Amino acid sequence: MDLRRIKAAAEWYRNTVYRDEPISSRPGCSSEPLPPMLRTARALEKGVTAYRQSWESLFVKQGKVLAGYEDDYPYDRPVLRYFPTYQSLSDEELRAYFTWRTKLRRGEIQRTSLTFVYLYIYELLNQIGVSDPDDGYQKLLTLRDAYRSIDPSILPYLIRWMWDYVVYYRLDPALLQDTPSVRFDRQLFMLIHRKERSEAEVMDAVRGLSTYRLDNSRFYKGHSSEMDTVILRILDRVDEHYQKRCKKTMIEDYFGRYTSQPVMLFASAVFYDRRKAVNVDYSVDELCTYHCRNGLWTVERYDWQQYQPAKLNALLKTIDSVMRETFGYRYPVRPALSTQWLLKLIRAEAEGLLAEQKAETERLLAKQKAEEAKKVRIDFSSLDRIRRDAAYTQDRLIMEEELEDDVPISEAPPPEPEPDEAANVALPLNEDELHLLRCLLYGGGLNWVQASGRMLSVLVDGINDNLFDLFGDTVLELNSSPQLIEDYIDELKEMIHP
């Protein structure tokens, strides 16, 4: 073998075919060298160790290095990455992100590519750039409130991750009290334990769980107390029916079953779980509890997202319909249910309540009449006649003392009582009110009211107020003209004569 020919060929190959070339940079990278901290973070992406760890773990390691990094790099091109990490960005995009984050931390929140927003959220979820979990939650809250008006498309994910954040880091459950899920649990818990709660609390829960707006019902506005009572009684009766005759309870049929389901916290986010070995039991409220065993999470709860209020709405509308019919209300509505046993229950409760009200009214009237009978009545209209009689008697006695015993004295008869004074029962009314009642009872014009400078509505209100203690009700109604309540006409005529 000719060594000289081999050496010449190798020299030619080295000088012609093979030569040193610079390492190509990432696409989109500028020729400007990276700042030292970014180069340090980039170095973590290389080597065998980088390939043996998850991208979530690498993201957290790089995030810890860059937690305090700030930049000021002009860059205005859009960036689009799904599940973004530092590794997925080019050098220019990475510097653009830290420029935006620097302004955000200084209170200047600007619209930017959603890639940067999600990357910042991932940092907070993984405790990058926060002092403790509470600080991280406050930063998430600030971002949510500020970015709500800029781009609300991030809210569905962000709100769900904030819930998971509270559970994972075991923050105060009070942070979740205003969420739809906890409100549903609180109302359902109130309904389940309704016998230990006040009527007002349970009815607030019923209104919250239903989309049938009771407050918009004409009948409910005038009979809210009666309808609340019937609704609560029906819930008890329906619950008893389900327990005796059905395989599931009323709560299960109306609101679903209480179940335990596997759950993945921070789903669709770049999140590194560093607490897999920790066993956790965390209660959000009385009806929602999370458990973690060997890194696997489950949640026990009623599924509020699957709840449909149609059954509760139909029950409330049917109660509204039956009560309107029972109470003789002039605006009927069609019942939403045709189940006979349920209609029978509602009618029985509505009729029972109506009978209770009538019995109570009769009892109160009887009590009121008994109390009225015990009262001492003074007829003030007879005082003038009594005074005249007393004066006459006094004059007679004086005259008898002065006259001789044998002089006959003719007795003058006492003055006859005036017709009105002898006939009318004493009523706590003034002259105009009494005159108005006499006109309405026996016929007479009402032009004198305006001519005397009085207001008809004021006279009607005065009569009703002054006679309420005697009748326990209004005796006059004022529509286009004042009208006497028919039930009290005869009794008023006994008290007021023409």
Side-chain angles (χ1 to χ4, degrees):
M1 180 178 294
D2 191 345
L3 294 178
R4 286 181 297 177
R5 292 181 61 187
I6 295 174
K7 186 176 180 180
E11 187 71 20
W12 173 85
Y13 181 82
R14 185 174 64 251
N15 294 329
T16 306
V17 179
Y18 173 81
R19 61 181 179 272
D20 293 334
E21 293 182 355
I23 298 175
S24 60
S25 60
R26 290 169 174 263
C29 292
S30 65
S31 57
E32 182 180 346
L34 283 175
M37 289 188 69
L38 291 182
R39 290 203 304 270
T40 301
R42 287 292 194 204
L44 297 175
E45 303 171 5
K46 303 173 182 178
V48 177
T49 305
Y51 294 105
R52 290 180 178 176
Q53 61 184 324
S54 65
W55 62 318
E56 296 91 348
S57 175
L58 177 59
F59 172 71
V60 172
K61 286 183 178 179
Q62 290 181 303
K64 295 300 182 182
V65 173
L66 300 171
Y69 178 71
E70 296 183 351
D71 208 332
D72 184 11
Y73 184 79
Y75 188 86
D76 56 1
R77 282 175 285 179
V79 180
L80 179 60
R81 299 286 190 279
Y82 294 102
F83 308 102
T85 62
Y86 310 118
Q87 186 179 10
S88 65
L89 301 181
S90 69
D91 292 346
E92 287 184 325
E93 292 169 347
L94 193 61
R95 296 194 65 182
Y97 165 71
F98 285 112
T99 300
W100 174 80
R101 191 185 76 172
T102 300
K103 294 179 181 178
L104 181 145
R105 287 181 173 180
R106 295 174 180 174
E108 185 181 347
I109 301 179
Q110 299 176 341
R111 176 185 289 274
T112 187
S113 300
L114 286 181
T115 296
F116 291 170
V117 181
Y118 281 111
L119 184 57
Y120 177 68
I121 294 173
Y122 297 161
E123 287 182 346
L124 299 179
L125 298 182
N126 288 279
Q127 300 296 282
I128 297 171
V130 303
S131 58
D132 54 42
D134 288 306
D135 179 45
Y137 184 83
Q138 291 302 318
K139 286 181 167 61
L140 287 169
L141 193 63
T142 300
L143 178 68
R144 185 201 68 182
D145 295 341
Y147 225 77
R148 188 193 301 272
S149 59
I150 297 176
D151 191 342
S153 64
I154 70 166
L155 293 180
Y157 291 102
L158 180 55
I159 291 172
R160 188 175 73 224
W161 291 334
M162 290 177 67
W163 173 286
D164 294 344
Y165 187 97
V166 173
V167 174
Y168 183 83
Y169 292 107
R170 285 172 279 179
L171 301 183
D172 187 354
L175 296 172
L176 304 175
Q177 292 306 299
D178 291 333
T179 59
S181 174
V182 174
R183 284 197 297 270
F184 172 83
D185 287 347
R186 186 164 53 243
Q187 293 161 354
L188 184 54
F189 182 81
M190 191 74 66
L191 192 60
I192 294 173
H193 299 276
R194 58 189 177 277
K195 293 184 179 180
E196 295 94 34
R197 303 291 180 172
S198 68
E199 180 177 301
E201 290 175 323
V202 178
M203 283 309 304
D204 285 342
V206 171
R207 282 188 285 267
L209 292 168
S210 169
T211 56
Y212 181 71
R213 300 273 70 91
L214 283 173
D215 295 334
N216 293 337
S217 166
R218 286 185 175 186
F219 179 78
Y220 186 80
K221 290 177 180 178
H223 301 81
S224 58
S225 177
E226 294 94 334
M227 195 165 173
D228 287 350
T229 300
V230 171
I231 289 173
L232 296 177
R233 292 180 181 180
I234 290 299
L235 289 174
D236 291 339
R237 297 288 299 278
V238 171
D239 196 11
E240 292 172 3
H241 177 86
Y242 272 82
Q243 290 179 9
K244 292 178 180 179
R245 300 178 179 271
C246 303
K247 294 182 178 180
K248 53 185 176 181
T249 66
M250 179 193 72
I251 297 297
E252 290 174 342
D253 191 32
Y254 278 62
F255 304 99
R257 294 182 180 273
Y258 188 75
T259 59
S260 177
Q261 297 289 338
V263 63
M264 179 180 292
L265 301 185
F266 305 111
S268 303
V270 177
F271 179 76
Y272 179 55
D273 186 1
R274 289 167 286 177
R275 297 185 173 186
K276 289 184 178 180
V278 178
N279 291 335
V280 176
D281 297 296
Y282 180 85
S283 294
V284 175
D285 53 48
E286 296 90 343
L287 298 181
C288 179
T289 302
Y290 282 81
H291 305 282
C292 180
R293 297 294 182 269
N294 300 320
L296 300 177
W297 286 85
T298 58
V299 58
E300 295 176 348
R301 70 186 315 173
Y302 288 94
D303 193 348
W304 69 277
Q305 291 180 316
Q306 298 299 322
Y307 166 64
Q308 298 294 330
K311 290 187 176 182
L312 183 59
N313 291 347
L315 178 65
L316 295 179
K317 185 177 181 181
T318 303
I319 293 174
D320 191 1
S321 172
V322 173
M323 289 195 67
R324 288 175 187 232
E325 178 185 350
T326 304
F327 280 68
Y329 194 64
R330 58 179 177 174
Y331 299 108
V333 295
R334 182 175 299 177
L337 298 173
S338 59
T339 309
Q340 291 303 311
W341 69 266
L342 192 53
L343 290 172
K344 184 178 179 181
L345 281 181
I346 298 173
R347 287 195 183 96
E349 291 297 340
E351 292 171 359
L353 179 63
L354 188 59
E356 291 173 12
Q357 288 183 333
K358 290 181 178 179
E360 179 65 15
T361 301
E362 292 175 358
R363 186 188 68 81
L364 291 176
L365 287 175
K367 180 180 178 182
Q368 185 177 10
K369 288 181 179 179
E371 292 176 351
E372 289 292 330
K374 295 178 182 179
K375 292 181 179 179
V376 177
R377 297 182 178 274
I378 300 175
D379 189 355
F380 292 98
S381 62
S382 302
L383 289 178
D384 290 339
R385 179 175 57 81
I386 294 172
R387 292 190 186 99
R388 289 195 300 269
D389 291 346
Y392 173 77
T393 302
Q394 183 179 7
D395 292 341
R396 286 255 347 244
L397 292 173
I398 294 173
M399 291 175 64
E400 287 178 354
E401 291 178 356
E402 294 177 351
L403 295 176
E404 295 182 356
D405 294 338
D406 56 348
V407 178
I409 300 176
S410 61
E411 294 185 2
E416 293 293 329
E418 296 180 6
D420 285 349
E421 294 175 343
N424 292 331
V425 175
L427 294 175
L429 302 174
N430 60 38
E431 293 181 3
D432 290 336
E433 294 169 347
L434 192 63
H435 186 40
L436 176 59
L437 277 179
R438 189 175 287 111
C439 290
L440 295 175
L441 286 169
Y442 300 104
L446 302 181
N447 294 333
W448 60 271
V449 176
Q450 185 175 4
S452 63
R454 302 298 300 274
M455 293 183 64
L456 191 59
S457 60
V458 174
L459 289 176
V460 171
D461 290 340
I463 292 171
N464 285 329
D465 291 342
N466 293 329
L467 296 184
F468 186 83
D469 290 339
L470 184 60
F471 289 88
D473 196 0
T474 57
V475 299
L476 278 178
E477 287 184 345
L478 181 61
N479 297 319
S480 58
S481 62
Q483 296 179 349
L484 289 165
I485 303 298
E486 186 176 355
D487 294 342
Y488 306 121
I489 292 177
D490 293 339
E491 190 172 352
L492 285 169
K493 284 184 176 181
E494 292 178 2
M495 300 176 180
I496 303 173
H497 292 267

